Amino acid sequence: MTKKDVRILAFESSCDETSTAVIKNGREIESLIVATQIKSHQRFGGVVPEVASRHHIEVITQITKEALDEANATWADIDAIAVTYGPGLVGALLIGVSAAKAASMATGIPLIGVDHIMGHIMAAQLKDEIEYPALALQVSGGHTEIVLMKDPIHFEIVGDTRDDAAGEAYDKIGRVLGVNYPAGKTIDEWAHKGKDTFHFPRAMMEDDDYDFSFSGLKSAFINTCHHADQIHEELDKYDLAASFQASVVDVLSHKTIRAIKEYKPKTFILGGGVAANHGLRDRLAEEIEKLPADIKPKVILPDLKLCGDNAAMIGAAAYNLYQAGKFSDVNLNADPSLELPYAESMLK
């Protein structure tokens, strides 16, 4: 390692994954540890905040040691400590923030608070170089947003969800189909075995803005299933999944392509847990390939292992903040409602 290398120890605990990582120069993963809690929450059909917080407490010290050991690093090798401070579950966030602050105070290593959504988008930086300006479609359980990035640290939301995020809708219809939480992967697999025979609504697809709404789709899906139950009609689960996913993918891809045509980014990024959805990845790649050469952006689809919550993405985002001198102090606190700023055009 040369003197110009920067190594960041990152913490992520915003929901039901406890993760630590050591990232070098914002691009290289030297270690990544993820302690998942999925089995603990499956019986409840979703994340239980108190259970998540207790699991974070149980493992965070151990996985911090594991991340340093896997990276063959000591505290003396770490240039900054990064942590997700929002958005997320307040109790879960506090565990990571407390651990990071304690480590920073004990070692004197600078602290960097990172926005969780910025982290998801910066997972792309771990795969390829991002050319700016860039545009990201961030799709996860709690967020569905189109984000314009002027540079590595200035992000603006140009489109947002008005109700259920796409990932949240997947989990809710998964319960109706009897699919264990998290439902996205199974629904995606089923969708590839069925056809869009139900033609569910494509809400807001033709609106002038870049906002999303999946609550109506979710309701239409549930009503269809409940009606079939009442008349004792058996519906094909693969066609149901395919029809639901076709609606989600149609809306997301349509608005994303329109945003690309307007903002003309040099790079397009897909981020968040739903970025692992093969139907969405394939559609966006196909639609972007059809664009004229002069507005066709470079496309970065993150590795599947980096689509879910992980500390590597937090370390990548923190590196950019480190380079810009954006550090936090001991007053850093969890902010469960933290939001990226909205573009000025949305506020007029």
Side-chain angles (χ1 to χ4, degrees):
M1 188 180 77
T2 63
K3 289 185 178 180
K4 68 177 181 179
D5 289 329
V6 174
R7 295 170 99 178
I8 294 178
L9 172 66
F11 293 83
E12 157 59 31
S13 67
S14 62
C15 192
D16 62 339
E17 310 282 9
T18 323
S19 182
T20 52
V22 175
I23 303 301
K24 185 169 76 173
N25 298 332
R27 295 289 304 275
E28 182 180 339
I29 301 174
E30 294 196 314
S31 66
L32 172 58
I33 312 297
V34 180
T36 184
Q37 304 176 13
I38 288 177
K39 290 184 178 179
S40 296
H41 298 283
Q42 277 183 337
R43 64 184 183 274
F44 302 111
V47 178
V48 179
E50 177 65 17
V51 173
S53 298
R54 289 179 180 273
H55 279 301
H56 290 315
I57 292 171
E58 291 171 359
V59 303
I60 198 161
T61 300
Q62 177 60 32
I63 68 170
T64 300
K65 181 180 184 302
E66 289 179 16
L68 289 169
D69 289 346
E70 187 176 298
N72 195 26
T74 67
W75 289 103
D77 299 315
I78 301 301
D79 297 286
I81 296 170
V83 62
T84 301
Y85 74 103
L89 303 175
V90 64
L93 289 165
L94 280 169
I95 307 306
V97 170
S98 297
K101 286 168 65 173
S104 176
M105 287 187 283
T107 61
I109 299 172
L111 180 68
I112 301 175
V114 177
D115 183 301
H116 180 72
I117 302 305
M118 181 183 287
H120 267 304
I121 295 171
M122 282 296 106
Q125 186 173 285
L126 296 166
K127 183 172 184 179
D128 202 351
E129 182 178 356
I130 302 172
E131 298 175 31
Y132 296 91
L135 189 79
L137 173 62
Q138 158 62 27
V139 200
S140 61
H143 298 82
T144 302
E145 301 164 337
I146 295 178
V147 180
L148 180 64
M149 301 173 300
K150 298 177 180 178
D151 56 48
I153 65 170
H154 292 100
F155 293 26
E156 291 183 343
I157 295 174
V158 297
D160 202 354
T161 184
R162 296 188 181 180
D163 40 58
D164 289 351
E168 184 180 9
Y170 269 91
D171 287 332
K172 288 181 176 178
I173 68 106
R175 292 186 197 128
V176 177
L177 293 175
V179 178
N180 283 337
Y181 167 87
K185 182 178 180 180
T186 300
I187 300 300
D188 183 27
E189 291 172 352
W190 287 4
H192 285 78
K193 299 177 182 178
K195 297 180 180 179
D196 180 11
T197 59
F198 292 94
H199 307 295
F200 291 125
R202 273 72 167 159
M204 300 178 64
M205 190 162 80
E206 301 301 333
D207 289 7
D208 291 337
D209 55 44
Y210 296 112
D211 288 349
F212 303 97
S213 171
F214 296 104
S215 180
L217 167 61
K218 173 202 67 181
S219 297
F221 183 97
I222 293 173
N223 290 339
T224 297
C225 293
H226 285 177
H227 176 69
D229 287 342
Q230 291 169 353
I231 63 174
H232 306 293
E233 178 185 358
E234 185 174 346
L235 303 180
D236 187 292
K237 65 181 182 181
Y238 298 130
D239 287 346
L240 282 168
S243 299
F244 172 83
Q245 181 152 299
S247 177
V248 173
V249 170
D250 280 354
V251 173
L252 291 175
S253 61
H254 179 80
K255 290 212 165 187
T256 298
I257 294 301
R258 190 154 56 80
I260 290 174
K261 290 178 178 178
E262 177 177 348
Y263 293 103
K264 298 177 176 61
K266 293 182 179 179
T267 305
F268 169 73
I269 296 166
L270 181 61
V274 184
N277 183 285
H278 293 284
L280 180 59
R281 292 168 78 98
D282 293 345
R283 172 68 71 81
L284 285 171
E286 291 171 6
E287 294 298 324
I288 290 174
E289 184 59 32
K290 297 176 185 176
L291 292 173
D294 60 334
I295 63 168
K296 186 185 300 182
K298 176 181 184 178
V299 177
I300 304 179
L301 304 178
D303 292 340
L304 295 180
K305 69 176 182 179
L306 297 180
C307 291
D309 294 347
N310 67 87
M313 67 186 194
I314 302 304
Y319 173 78
N320 300 329
L321 295 169
Y322 178 95
Q323 295 292 77
K326 303 288 186 180
F327 297 99
S328 304
D329 57 30
V330 293
N331 295 313
L332 180 69
N333 200 2
D335 185 350
S337 301
L338 182 68
E339 288 187 345
L340 293 172
Y342 285 87
E344 291 183 6
S345 61
M346 293 186 66
L347 303 178
K348 293 179 181 179

